[in-house]
Amino acid sequence: MNPALLPLAVALPITGAVAAPLLSRLSSRASLIASLIALVGPAALLATFAPAVYGGRLSGHALGNVGPVRGAELGITFTAEPFGLTFALLTATIGSVLLLYSLSELGGLASHEAGWYACLTQLLLAAMIGTALTADLLNLFVWFEVAALASYGLAGFFLERPWALEATFKMMILTNLAGFCVFVAVALLYSGHGALNLGQLERSLSGGVRTADVVALGLLLTGFGTKAGLMPFHGWLADAHTAAPGPISALFSGLMVNLGVVAIARLTLDVYTAGRTVLPAILMVLGAASAILGAALALAQDDLKRLLAYDTISQVGVLLTAVGAGTMRAVTGLVYHLVDHALFKALLFLCAGAIVHATGMTRLSQMGGLARHRPIVTGAFLVATASIAGVPPLNGYASLGLIHDSLRAEHPVAFGAVLVAQGLTVAALGRAAYLAFFRRRDDDYDPLERMRPGMLIAFGTLALGCIAFGVLPNLVVSHIAAPAAAVLLDPNAYATIALAGSTRLTLTVQSFDYFAPDELLISGACLVAGLLLAFWYVRRSKEPIVVTGLRRLHNGSVNDYVAYSALGLIGCTFILLAWRR
């Protein structure tokens, strides 16, 4: 394992991004095929690090061999450690699957459109891989900006659609504000500590946290919370996910929002270590609120992709409650659910994109009877829905079970919030499945074209992932999730490799009892309650007043969304400062 090869995992997709518009002069498919090759390469490269890294051997590489001088890191370090490697491998692998899907669904694009589509997609994926591997705060900001710029082009890719331009405008305003917050935080930390390396920052902050450091923490939470779609910083997310092409919506929801979660988890657990600030409690509150309100808003949607987008906010909330809990069990569940969320949410958005592509319909009220016309899409949607609902033997059951275990005793309020969110999620997706696939539709659809091979492979790969990560939970826990949790909970080990060193990670044994009666009961209760709520909601002619109030707060005004983010920034920073005093 040579950590000097790590930069290639970012350099290859960037090279592919440069080549894609040039190759599009040959044909539209040439750029997409070359892009697929440029992503398979990083996935294969990162896979070679897996045996040693998950076995506890950690190392860092200073780019350009600009290593530490008198304990101060002057350059940028990439690290080979389980948490970052998990997200980087996930990004490269699922990104390859989504590009393969694009070859089938969007292969008819004009050559120049296909070239720029492939270019922007690879830049976004390269930024996410860079986020996973970097141990430098300014470099983290750079990847944040690269991801933002690429996502603007992808969200507004269909320029002829006015709502796509509107969604991109909202996304630009909110994520640019978020980027500014991160940049100011970087400046505050550098001015006080003379360091941008995360390991060096952790060791410097161990000596005491200044007021400026707390303000920087509030700014970082706002910036990366916006990228994650955490409430109240979420205003851009639903519009952007709805307007983007199907594979890009899957990329946004399954992977890009995880960029924010990865950054927040790293800063909370490896830099601003738990117990020194009130940040874990803030994450618990914001996570619980996002989990419930996001799921409630999903239940109220008629647009299928918007429904899935609000459910993404709910799932981010669940992930952030695990970060806030900060125990070995909770963080193991966080890593497991991060992987699971990428699988089942990407699959759900591909299903939605396939429906829109085939029928031109986006609203559930227009759909019905698709189970007969699209049995493969129906099966994939049901697998993903059962996964996100925590139905055994699919993957969500194990990851949610670990999070439940960690919250039940020490954080009963957050535990209750996660259960309520799970029931609402079942209701929202159960309602969507009935209305789109099983409800009788009087008018038949126009003849639908056959699904192409790349689409079938993508559906099969993601569905198989949902099943495999569900039926082999202890293999995932012991070989992936627990090592990743261990490095997040060992700031000293991470600081060592962030300063271009190497170390051995102390691994702890974790397991998941698949047949634990309490978890089976919770899963069954949430499933039954959610399905009953879906049945009630479908038959109800008028939506509940609480849901109406939530919808009115989400009126599409970018001014309101900026105000929500500003209030979130002020509130979080005030609480952090008040606790410190």
Side-chain angles (χ1 to χ4, degrees), residues 277-493:
T277 71
V278 74
L279 179 60
I282 293 176
L283 293 179
M284 195 80 72
V285 172
L286 294 181
S290 298
I292 293 177
L293 298 179
L297 282 164
L299 182 59
Q301 303 305 311
D302 186 39
D303 186 289
L304 178 56
K305 291 178 73 175
R306 186 172 289 270
L307 182 155
L308 297 176
Y310 278 117
D311 183 70
T312 295
I313 294 172
S314 179
Q315 294 301 308
V316 167
V318 173
L319 290 167
L320 266 295
T321 59
V323 178
T327 63
M328 184 64 187
R329 194 77 169 166
V331 181
T332 301
L334 159 72
V335 177
Y336 201 154
H337 202 62
L338 200 71
V339 175
D340 289 348
H341 176 257
L343 290 168
F344 55 58
K345 191 50 68 72
L347 182 55
L348 284 169
F349 267 107
L350 286 189
C351 291
I355 292 170
V356 173
H357 180 74
T359 68
M361 297 177 182
T362 61
R363 297 190 173 275
L364 293 169
S365 56
Q366 300 172 328
M367 301 176 193
L370 282 169
R372 181 164 59 91
H373 295 276
R374 281 287 187 261
I376 293 176
V377 175
T378 304
F381 193 92
L382 292 178
V383 167
T385 297
S387 298
I388 202 171
V391 176
L394 298 168
N395 55 356
Y397 172 70
S399 57
L400 285 171
L402 289 167
I403 295 173
H404 293 162
D405 286 349
S406 67
L407 297 176
R408 186 182 296 114
E410 297 184 10
H411 306 283
V413 175
F415 175 60
V418 169
L419 293 188
V420 171
Q422 190 172 338
L424 289 170
T425 296
V426 173
L429 292 174
R431 169 178 167 270
Y434 167 73
L435 293 176
F437 298 102
F438 300 107
R439 182 182 54 165
R440 181 177 177 180
R441 189 173 187 268
D442 295 331
D443 298 329
D444 205 357
Y445 294 98
D446 293 333
L448 304 181
E449 61 179 307
R450 295 179 60 185
M451 294 185 66
R452 298 186 179 95
M455 300 171 72
L456 297 175
I457 293 172
F459 281 128
T461 301
L462 294 173
L464 184 61
C466 290
I467 295 169
F469 277 80
V471 299
L472 302 170
N474 285 317
L475 191 64
V476 177
V477 168
S478 60
H479 293 285
I480 298 175
V487 75
L488 279 175
L489 295 174
D490 191 345
N492 185 57

Side-chain angles (χ1 to χ4, degrees), residues 77-172:
T77 303
F78 272 16
T79 58
E81 47 81 24
F83 181 61
L85 184 65
T86 298
F87 184 54
L89 263 173
L90 191 68
T91 298
T93 303
I94 294 184
S96 301
V97 172
L98 295 178
L99 267 176
L100 180 63
Y101 183 95
S102 299
L103 277 169
S104 289
E105 186 180 90
L106 303 176
L109 289 174
S111 59
H112 69 283
E113 291 177 326
W116 287 112
Y117 175 91
C119 172
L120 293 170
T121 301
Q122 288 179 97
L123 283 177
L124 179 56
L125 292 167
M128 288 187 282
I129 294 172
T131 297
L133 299 179
T134 190
D136 182 89
L137 189 58
L138 182 61
N139 196 233
L140 195 61
F141 165 75
V142 169
W143 295 127
F144 180 103
E145 288 299 300
V146 172
L149 290 171
S151 64
Y152 302 153
L154 291 169
F157 189 74
F158 293 125
L159 294 174
E160 69 278 7
R161 301 176 182 177
W163 62 88
L165 295 178
E166 180 184 351
T168 305
F169 175 74
K170 294 174 185 176
M171 190 180 190
M172 287 179 64

